[in-house]
């Protein structure tokens, strides 16, 4: 019979208890002496990894930040020299940025980091959100759409490299998961043969976690032998790339620049050459892609100058007067809507630890299961019982040496998937509609047309153009100009395109 031993000595256990007591968190050991040895081991494995001193500091800073955020921030518009928009740029200028970006990709200097830690809970699914099927005619998942964009872009970039060097035109894909999504995400990729990408160029890493706290800052036990933990927000990417070997991998591969984005945007232009090229041409170390706000009252964060530094001001933090303020051309003064789409130099990511202690943490009040400290019974609350502490990806903006902002057309690049089916906005139906509408525009811009059943109704139209065939509408004109594609039509290859375009 095997007897389980505690992973620490009695002296180490007493020192650990004293550390937690000294920092006002000694209650985590409330039930310790009554636990089975296996349960004690499980609890110790958790509490040993928690930096309780830093946790208290984060809580204090988050409370101070929340109090400051309750007052309107001192905000100013972005300076013109850090902002550019494709909506007013000439085709020549856009081609110039794309050429720079594609050249960097061809030289093997660009990688992609995907923030994919979320589950599809609000969509009625427990699977990772990237696995979600938005009911496209092809039934492709978000992960597959993004993988095919990478495949197509690698192929395009090879034309920007001499024939003997084409093996460099690889875009490594670093996928940040969370505890609940890590294994299911890896399994999904393996089941789908990594969607045609080479396994060694798809790297999975897990974001960090922090204990959940009561509203007065005490660590929550979700059971007598387990601390309630939660992912540390999308800003956890910065610690994760340091702690999980991603920075080392980027440097080993010779990667100078990364494109970082969220999995739930079905229109995300992965490793967008124009965004990469613009950022490189500006000498950017930290950049952000934005879209224009739809209206003054659209509840989105806005990229601006906040208290003298670049940052994001949330909708609730800006006065109605400022949110409605307009420029001479009648556009909104504060219109750069944040879509969690970023450019980083490897040097910048490597520098984050030097200012990590200054980063803000934000409080998200949640219904969190907790243990009754007298009875040991687990309580499932009906109202907010605690908080999760999160760092946001934009919290690093104030520390950039060369910050830049790149505005793109919303209909081409932003359609988030956040709400349940049938909710009418930012839901599976709108995601499907926006992708199909984009594919129709690609054909029309190339001189063709799409007709057939449900013509004009992109929520129902059975038409789809694989990103593997065209990343952003390129390469279609010689095949579709003056021709008609009749739906239903799912175009997966160039052969399909030629067959359907009549």
């Amino acid at each position: 019979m095997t007897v389980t031993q505690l992973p620490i000595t009695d002296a180490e256990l007493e020192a650990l208890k004293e550390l937690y007591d000294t920092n006002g968190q000694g209650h985590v050991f409330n039930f310790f002496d009554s636990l089975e040895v296996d349960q004690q081991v499980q609890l110790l494995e958790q509490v040993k990894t928690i930096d309780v001193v830093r946790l208290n500091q984060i809580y204090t800073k988050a409370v101070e930040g929340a109090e400051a955020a309750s007052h309107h921030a001192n905000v100013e518009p972005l300076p013109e020299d850090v902002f550019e928009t494709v909506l007013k740029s000439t085709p020549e200028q856009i081609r110039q940025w794309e050429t720079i970006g594609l050249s960097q990709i061809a030289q093997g200097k660009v990688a992609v980091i995907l923030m994919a830690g979320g589950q599809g809970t609000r969509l009625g699914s427990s699977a990772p959100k990237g696995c979600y099927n938005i009911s496209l005619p092809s039934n492709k998942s978000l992960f597959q759409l993004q993988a095919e964009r990478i495949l197509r872009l690698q192929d395009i970039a090879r034309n920007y490299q001499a024939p003997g060097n084409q093996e460099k035109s690889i875009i490594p894909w670093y996928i940040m998961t969370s505890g609940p999504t890590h294994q299911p995400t890896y399994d999904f990729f393996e089941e789908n043969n990594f969607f045609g990408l080479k396994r060694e160029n798809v790297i999975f890493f897990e974001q960090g976690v922090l204990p959940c706290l009561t509203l007065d800052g005490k660590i929550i036990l979700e059971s007598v032998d387990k601390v309630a933990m939660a992912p540390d927000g999308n800003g956890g990417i910065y610690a994760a790339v340091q702690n999980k070997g991603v920075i080392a991998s980027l440097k080993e591969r010779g990667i100078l620049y990364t494109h970082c984005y969220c999995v739930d945007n079905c229109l995300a232009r992965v490793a967008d050459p124009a965004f990469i090229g613009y950022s490189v041409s500006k000498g950017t170390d930290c950049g952000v892609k934005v879209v224009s706000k739809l209206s003054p009252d659209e509840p989105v964060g806005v990229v601006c100058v906040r208290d003298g530094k670049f940052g994001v001001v949330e909708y609730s933090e800006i006065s109605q007067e400022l949110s409605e303020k307009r420029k001479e051309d009648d556009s909104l003064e504060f219109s750069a809507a944040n879509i969690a789409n970023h450019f980083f130099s490897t040097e910048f990511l490597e520098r984050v630890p030097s200012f990590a202690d200054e980063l803000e943490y934000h409080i998200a009040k949640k219904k969190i299961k907790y243990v009754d400290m007298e009875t040991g019974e687990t309580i499932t609350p009906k109202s907010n019982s605690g908080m999760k502490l999160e760092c946001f990806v934009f919290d690093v903006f104030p520390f950039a040496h060369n910050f830049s902002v790149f505005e793109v057309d919303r209909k081409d690049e932003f359609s988030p998937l956040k709400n349940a089916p049938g909710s009418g906005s930012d839901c599976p139906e709108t995601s499907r509609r926006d992708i199909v509408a984009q594919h129709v525009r690609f054909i029309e811009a190339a001189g063709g047309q799409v007709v057939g059943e449900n013509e004009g109704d992109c929520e129902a139209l059975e038409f789809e153009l694989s990103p593997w065939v065209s990343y952003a509408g390129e390469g279609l004109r010689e095949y579709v100009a003056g021709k008609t594609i009749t739906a239903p039509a799912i175009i997966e290859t160039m052969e399909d395109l030629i067959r359907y375009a009549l």
Side-chain angles (χ1 to χ4, degrees):
M1 176 176 165
T2 303
V3 178
T4 303
Q5 303 247 323
L6 292 182
I8 57 177
T9 65
D10 289 345
E12 288 171 334
L13 176 58
E14 289 308 310
L16 191 60
K17 288 181 176 180
E18 183 177 348
L19 174 66
Y20 273 75
D21 270 332
T22 302
N23 287 277
Q25 304 287 5
H27 62 281
V28 300
F29 291 98
N30 197 54
F31 304 98
F32 188 80
D33 292 338
S34 64
L35 298 177
E36 299 291 334
V37 176
D38 286 349
Q39 292 176 298
Q40 290 180 333
V41 170
Q42 175 174 291
L43 183 60
L44 286 173
E45 292 294 347
Q46 272 194 303
V47 297
K48 280 196 309 175
T49 64
I50 297 170
D51 185 339
V52 68
V53 175
R54 177 172 174 267
L55 178 65
N56 285 348
Q57 292 171 344
I58 289 173
Y59 167 73
T60 300
K61 190 173 179 65
V63 170
E64 292 171 352
E67 290 174 354
S70 66
H71 308 291
H72 287 314
N74 178 23
V75 298
E76 301 169 77
L78 290 166
E80 289 186 5
D81 63 340
V82 303
F83 181 85
E84 191 62 78
T85 175
V86 299
L87 302 176
K88 296 180 181 178
S89 299
T90 64
E92 291 75 22
Q93 178 63 79
I94 294 171
R95 273 197 298 273
Q96 184 179 345
W97 292 327
E98 288 174 343
T99 299
I100 295 171
L102 287 165
S103 296
Q104 296 297 323
I105 292 170
Q107 294 171 52
K109 295 181 179 179
V110 176
V112 171
I113 300 178
L114 170 61
M115 295 178 285
Q119 293 171 284
T121 309
R122 279 191 282 179
L123 304 170
S125 168
S126 61
K129 192 179 279 190
C131 302
Y132 196 81
N133 172 4
I134 58 174
S135 298
L136 285 169
S138 67
N139 288 312
K140 288 177 184 175
S141 64
L142 295 174
F143 281 138
Q144 183 168 354
L145 291 171
Q146 294 161 23
E148 290 184 1
R149 288 178 188 137
I150 291 175
L151 285 165
R152 173 63 180 164
L153 205 50
Q154 289 179 159
D155 198 47
I156 295 171
R158 290 188 180 100
N159 295 316
Y160 289 73
Q161 186 67 280
N165 296 320
Q166 291 189 351
E167 73 280 356
K168 287 186 178 180
S169 300
I170 296 298
I171 303 170
W173 198 10
Y174 294 84
I175 299 176
M176 185 175 78
T177 63
S178 62
T181 66
H182 187 79
Q183 194 60 47
T185 298
Y186 182 83
D187 291 345
F188 189 72
F189 272 75
E190 196 160 53
E191 289 162 11
N192 289 280
N193 197 28
F194 289 76
F195 304 106
L197 294 163
K198 289 187 177 179
R199 182 184 299 252
E200 63 266 27
N201 294 324
V202 183
I203 304 96
F204 301 89
F205 67 103
E206 222 175 306
Q207 73 181 101
V209 292
L210 285 170
C212 300
L213 304 178
T214 62
L215 298 178
D216 59 353
K218 301 299 182 183
I219 293 173
I220 293 177
L221 289 175
E222 71 173 52
S223 62
V224 292
D225 59 351
K226 187 177 182 182
V227 172
M229 306 290 282
D232 52 3
N234 59 18
I237 184 175
Y238 303 112
V241 296
Q242 297 286 340
N243 300 334
K244 303 294 184 177
V246 174
I247 293 288
S249 175
L250 292 173
K251 294 176 73 175
E252 183 181 345
R253 288 174 177 262
I255 301 295
L256 299 182
Y257 314 108
T258 57
H259 176 220
C260 174
Y261 69 101
C262 280
V263 72
D264 62 5
N265 178 13
C266 66
L267 294 180
R269 289 192 177 175
V270 185
D272 176 16
F275 184 34
I276 300 292
Y278 164 74
S279 301
V280 171
S281 71
K282 295 277 289 185
T284 301
D285 59 349
C286 173
V288 58
K289 183 183 281 192
V290 299
V291 297
S292 184
K293 282 183 70 173
L294 291 173
S295 64
D297 59 354
E298 184 184 7
V300 293
V302 173
V303 183
C304 61
V305 176
R306 174 184 175 142
D307 296 327
K309 298 177 180 179
F310 293 115
V312 172
V313 61
E314 296 295 349
Y315 174 67
S316 59
E317 298 176 89
I318 189 170
S319 68
Q320 182 177 349
E321 180 184 3
L322 279 180
S323 67
E324 294 177 350
K325 190 176 180 182
R326 295 186 179 272
K327 302 178 185 176
E328 289 183 4
D329 63 2
D330 202 40
S331 63
L332 291 172
E333 188 85 70
F334 294 92
S335 65
N338 177 44
I339 60 172
N341 198 308
H342 305 277
F343 170 95
F344 299 116
S345 69
T346 302
E347 180 275 330
F348 179 82
L349 292 176
E350 199 172 12
R351 187 163 59 82
V352 171
S354 69
F355 54 78
D357 289 344
E358 300 176 61
L359 293 176
E360 289 187 43
Y361 276 81
H362 308 268
I363 293 171
K365 295 180 181 179
K366 302 283 185 179
K367 298 173 187 175
I368 301 168
K369 289 182 181 179
Y370 64 93
V371 162
D372 183 305
M373 296 306 291
E374 292 187 6
T375 66
E377 179 187 358
T378 297
I379 308 296
T380 302
K382 295 181 179 179
S383 59
N384 291 337
S385 59
M387 65 175 75
K388 297 178 181 180
L389 296 172
E390 300 176 325
C391 184
F392 294 154
V393 69
F394 58 73
D395 287 327
V396 300
F397 289 1
F399 303 93
H401 291 162
N402 293 292
F403 185 72
S404 66
V405 181
F406 191 63
E407 183 187 58
V408 296
D409 193 334
R410 180 188 291 251
K411 73 177 184 298
D412 285 331
E413 300 203 37
F414 186 55
S415 180
L417 178 60
K418 298 188 179 298
N419 301 322
S423 57
S425 67
D426 297 345
C427 60
E429 293 86 358
T430 57
S431 292
R432 180 199 193 279
R433 176 200 69 199
D434 292 345
I435 288 184
V436 172
Q438 182 182 66
H439 293 176
V440 171
R441 289 197 302 274
F442 287 168
I443 298 298
E444 291 175 345
Q449 61 176 329
V450 179
V451 300
E453 188 177 351
N454 299 311
E455 180 182 346
D457 178 7
C458 290
E459 283 196 25
L461 182 67
E462 291 290 312
F463 173 71
E464 188 178 348
L465 179 66
S466 169
W468 168 241
V469 175
S470 184
Y471 175 88
E474 79 292 333
L476 301 175
R477 179 166 294 277
E478 67 176 296
Y479 302 102
V480 305
K483 296 183 179 181
T484 298
I485 296 173
T486 302
I490 302 174
I491 297 172
E492 293 285 3
T493 64
M494 198 61 74
E495 180 184 0
D496 292 337
L497 183 65
I498 293 168
R499 179 162 50 89
Y500 278 111
L502 301 172

